[in-house]
Amino acid sequence: MKDVGVAYVLWFFFGLFGVHRFYLDRPCSGLVWLCTGGFFLIGWIVDICLIPGMVDDYNCHAESVVHHHYHHHHDSPSSSLPPLSHSSASYNTPYTNPYQHTPPPYDPYVTPVQTTVRPPPMNPYYSNV
C-alpha cells in the first residue's frame, strides 16, 4: 500500500524528475517527467491534484492483484467448475449446461398451440389494381 503523504513529499522534492510517478508504479510517465523536467513544469504543477487519484489507483490495483493471487492459488480445483443444475433431474439427464437453456423433452400428449397469422389490414387508400 502506497501513502499519499510519501507521494507528496517525493513530488515536492523530486517531482521534476518523476520520482513520485516511479513510486506509484508509473514508469512510462515517470520517464517522460525525468526527460522533460516534470513535463516542462506544467505536469509537475498538475500533479498536485492527480496524486491522490494515482495513489488510489495503485492501491486498488495492488489489492486486486493480491486478492486474485490468493484465490487463484488457494481455492480448491472444483471451485472453478460451474455449478450443477438442479433442474437436470426433471429432464432425466445426468448433466445439463447451466449456462445454456435446454428445452423440455418432447411430450406426445401435449398438443402444440397453433397460431393463425393474419395478413395486415388493407389500406383503403391503396388499390391493388
Side-chain angles (χ1 to χ4, degrees):
M1 300 293 283
K2 302 290 182 171
D3 184 47
V4 175
V6 172
Y8 272 121
V9 168
L10 292 173
W11 165 82
F12 186 76
F13 290 108
F14 308 107
L16 294 177
F17 307 111
V19 174
H20 62 293
R21 289 187 168 264
F22 287 109
Y23 171 71
L24 296 172
D25 198 28
R26 294 177 180 251
C28 294
S29 62
L31 190 61
V32 170
W33 260 236
L34 179 65
C35 294
T36 62
F39 203 68
F40 308 109
L41 196 64
I42 296 169
W44 182 76
I45 295 170
V46 170
D47 277 348
I48 293 172
C49 301
L50 297 182
I51 284 178
M54 289 191 290
V55 171
D56 287 342
D57 287 346
Y58 176 86
N59 290 339
C60 288
H61 177 72
E63 184 177 301
S64 68
V65 168
V66 168
H67 179 73
H68 174 73
H69 177 75
Y70 176 79
H71 286 290
H72 181 67
H73 293 290
H74 296 288
D75 281 353
S76 64
S78 63
S79 65
S80 62
L81 298 175
L84 291 176
S85 172
H86 296 291
S87 64
S88 64
S90 65
Y91 296 136
N92 202 16
T93 58
Y95 176 76
T96 58
N97 184 349
Y99 304 108
Q100 179 181 2
H101 174 71
T102 306
Y106 174 72
D107 188 356
Y109 298 105
V110 176
T111 307
V113 178
Q114 295 186 0
T115 59
T116 305
V117 178
R118 296 182 182 182
M122 292 295 298
N123 187 344
Y125 300 107
Y126 178 76
S127 80
N128 289 336
V129 180

